[in-house]
Amino acid sequence: LPQPLQDALPVLQTLNQAGFQAYYVGGCVRDTILQRPIHDVDLATSAYPAEIKSLFAQTIDTGIQHGTVTVVLNHENYEVTTFRTESGYQDYRRPDHVEFVRSLDMDLQRRDFTINALALDATGEVHDLFGGLEDLRRGQIRAVGQAEARFHEDALRMMRAVRFQAQFGFPIAEQTLAGITQNAALLTKIAVERIHVEFIKLMLAPYRKLGLDSFQATGLASYCPQFKGHDCRCLAGQSSQPLTSEAVVWTLIGYLWQLPPTQLRSLLRAWKTTNETQKRVTRAVTLLQLNTWRDWDLYQAGTKSSQLAQEVLLVTGKSNWAQELQERQEHLPIYCSQDLALGGQAIMEILHLAPGPEVGRLLEELQQAVVARKIPNQVIALTQFLQQKRN
Ligand code: ATP
Ligand code: MG
């Protein structure tokens, strides 16, 4: 067993010794079999939440009503979830009824894809009700049960399908893909935050090109905020390098779709990105949309936005521009107003000024002069510059 699963073994054993069934489930089983790194270890058990809590010294009520208790063991958190079935799903996103059951099989049935519906017990035996092992071996994403029905229950699963495709490079099984194409419009029932998570995972995955092809071809893309009318396939870029951050994803989109600043901002807001992301991405895209760069443009973009722009240029096959941007960014005389040899206080003293907007204007002028290399960033030179301005 990989280390994270080894570490969680005492949790399974404690449950087993108390007479309950307990299994590793979901992504950690799939990733163990694929020999991929494991990020979180999820456990499923026949024990009810109160029973789970009674067996462990430290627990957190993560989602008691859904049957999830977090067990804290050796400073690691393990989500332990009671076997359950789900029914209802009148709103295409969450079940109206969750019922705790004592059967593993019923729990596995509610899971989205066969490769995610595997359970592994403490003895190392894999429980595979739906051919998940075979799907992992040949490589395919296939819904558990009737694809159409499963996407009606929870439309987010359609996004998860294309996300897993991008992560593993597996094709989506024919019926499953047809189910997505039929039901793509149901994506509008899902909260944008949840779509966002899956879309970014898709974009940061190694096989984003495959995921994007399905995302576009099934029509899912056109039901995402402000994506209609744009081609998502081009977002794969020219390079097979994985993208390194969410901000790069949005910068790539702004650049390749040639979005004007207001439209870019509106798209970023519609996807509920953070203000920080909006700021950085907007600056990076502004930089990318210029025909030529003055040092002042690079300075105003800032190091972080310039790095975003560089990564996007690399991904879109413009490595010489990326190189130029990097070199010029590295050789800027200063990177922020704090780097100036003179601060606001010094300016006020030299020119006998009271605090006010004039000080800000002079600071800006100094920055422009230094960045454009009209004067060196030294106290004497800056002082002279100020005094000349006064005369
Ligand atoms: P990741 O590697 O991204 O964590 P994961 O498969 O573990 O992938 P999670 O969102 O952590 O995904 O969910 C854990 C498990 O819960 C899944 O493997 C799947 O069995 C089940 N699951 C999660 N979301 C859904 C859903 N929307 N519908 C049905 N089953 C789901
Ligand atoms: Mg997981």
Side-chain angles (χ1 to χ4, degrees):
L1 280 184
Q3 197 58 46
L5 269 62
Q6 279 290 352
D7 295 341
L9 195 55
V11 180
L12 287 191
Q13 287 167 337
T14 301
L15 286 159
N16 288 157
Q17 279 153 18
F20 298 108
Q21 303 166 55
Y23 300 87
Y24 302 104
V25 285
C28 72
V29 180
R30 176 198 68 214
D31 293 340
T32 297
I33 295 164
L34 288 175
Q35 301 189 314
R36 288 170 56 99
I38 286 155
H39 20 255
D40 45 32
V41 176
D42 291 322
L43 307 174
T45 180
S46 59
Y48 289 170
E51 294 167 331
I52 303 170
K53 287 171 72 172
S54 73
L55 289 171
F56 298 94
Q58 197 186 349
T59 62
I60 304 164
D61 291 1
T62 311
I64 288 281
Q65 62 286 35
H66 303 112
T68 302
V69 172
T70 299
V71 170
V72 186
L73 186 76
N74 300 323
H75 310 287
E76 289 289 341
N77 286 6
Y78 301 105
E79 285 202 348
V80 182
T81 304
T82 306
F83 296 153
R84 62 173 204 234
T85 59
E86 296 172 346
S87 54
Y89 300 105
Q90 300 208 17
D91 56 2
Y92 304 104
R93 52 192 155 151
R94 63 177 74 85
D96 300 335
H97 299 288
V98 169
E99 194 179 335
F100 299 149
V101 293
R102 299 285 193 183
S103 136
L104 170 69
D105 290 5
M106 291 175 83
D107 183 83
L108 294 180
Q109 256 177 58
R110 74 171 169 87
R111 295 178 181 273
D112 48 7
F113 303 105
T114 61
I115 60 171
N116 291 343
L118 297 167
L120 177 67
D121 68 24
T123 71
E125 193 186 335
V126 177
H127 295 252
D128 175 17
L129 278 185
F130 309 105
L133 283 176
E134 171 63 12
D135 286 341
L136 272 184
R137 197 192 55 74
R138 57 180 278 198
Q140 73 169 347
I141 316 287
R142 184 162 61 89
V144 169
Q146 283 287 312
E148 284 249 8
R150 302 312 307 286
F151 298 139
H152 266 257
E153 288 173 359
D154 178 356
L156 185 71
R157 290 171 185 156
M158 299 187 288
M159 281 303 294
R160 286 172 59 87
V162 292
R163 181 262 275 201
F164 287 122
Q165 176 174 34
Q167 288 181 321
F168 303 127
F170 298 166
I172 299 173
E174 200 182 309
Q175 301 271 312
T176 303
L177 196 66
I180 299 176
T181 307
Q182 288 288 308
N183 294 290
L186 292 180
L187 197 61
T188 54
K189 307 284 180 184
I190 300 296
V192 64
E193 290 88 341
R194 300 176 70 208
I195 300 175
H196 181 167
V197 170
E198 299 301 331
F199 176 66
I200 296 299
K201 282 185 178 176
L202 184 166
M203 287 298 291
L204 299 186
Y207 305 96
R208 67 175 179 275
K209 180 163 181 2
L210 287 179
L212 283 168
D213 283 346
S214 303
F215 182 57
Q216 185 76 35
T218 56
L220 281 175
S222 60
Y223 295 102
C224 286
Q226 303 191 18
F227 274 21
K228 202 176 170 64
H230 292 292
D231 183 8
C232 287
R233 276 176 278 235
C234 72
L235 303 178
Q238 307 290 304
S239 145
S240 55
Q241 278 295 102
L243 307 178
T244 63
S245 70
E246 180 190 338
V248 172
V249 171
W250 299 118
T251 305
L252 186 65
I253 287 176
Y255 176 56
L256 288 178
W257 292 353
Q258 302 182 23
L259 300 180
T262 48
Q263 217 177 314
L264 175 62
R265 280 219 172 259
S266 151
L267 184 142
L268 292 173
R269 270 197 300 268
W271 280 84
K272 307 228 166 133
T273 57
T274 65
N275 289 338
E276 183 65 23
T277 301
Q278 292 175 23
K279 202 171 80 186
R280 274 199 202 147
V281 169
T282 312
R283 286 180 179 170
V285 173
T286 302
L287 197 56
L288 287 166
Q289 288 175 341
L290 292 172
N291 292 323
T292 55
W293 296 310
R294 295 168 303 161
D295 282 327
W296 185 243
D297 300 320
L298 304 191
Y299 177 79
Q300 281 190 308
T303 309
K304 286 186 173 139
S305 292
S306 168
Q307 278 166 353
L308 290 178
Q310 285 163 40
E311 186 171 335
V312 162
L313 288 171
L314 279 179
V315 167
T316 52
K318 303 182 178 83
S319 51
N320 40 354
W321 289 10
Q323 181 85 17
E324 178 188 339
L325 199 49
Q326 184 187 348
E327 278 165 13
R328 289 185 51 191
Q329 185 74 25
E330 278 170 4
H331 292 99
L332 285 178
I334 56 171
Y335 293 94
C336 58
S337 64
Q338 281 81 5
D339 288 348
L340 274 182
L342 283 187
Q345 191 63 39
I347 294 176
M348 293 191 290
E349 281 164 20
I350 293 165
L351 296 182
H352 309 292
L353 280 176
E358 178 64 10
V359 182
R361 273 194 290 274
L362 288 167
L363 262 177
E364 169 101 358
E365 259 191 76
L366 286 182
Q367 291 168 74
Q368 284 180 358
V370 169
V371 169
R373 297 180 169 79
K374 289 182 185 147
I375 46 171
N377 184 27
Q378 292 159 357
V379 177
I380 297 179
L382 297 184
T383 307
Q384 273 174 0
F385 180 84
L386 286 173
Q387 283 165 341
Q388 272 164 17
K389 282 207 66 68
R390 190 180 40 178
N391 298 334

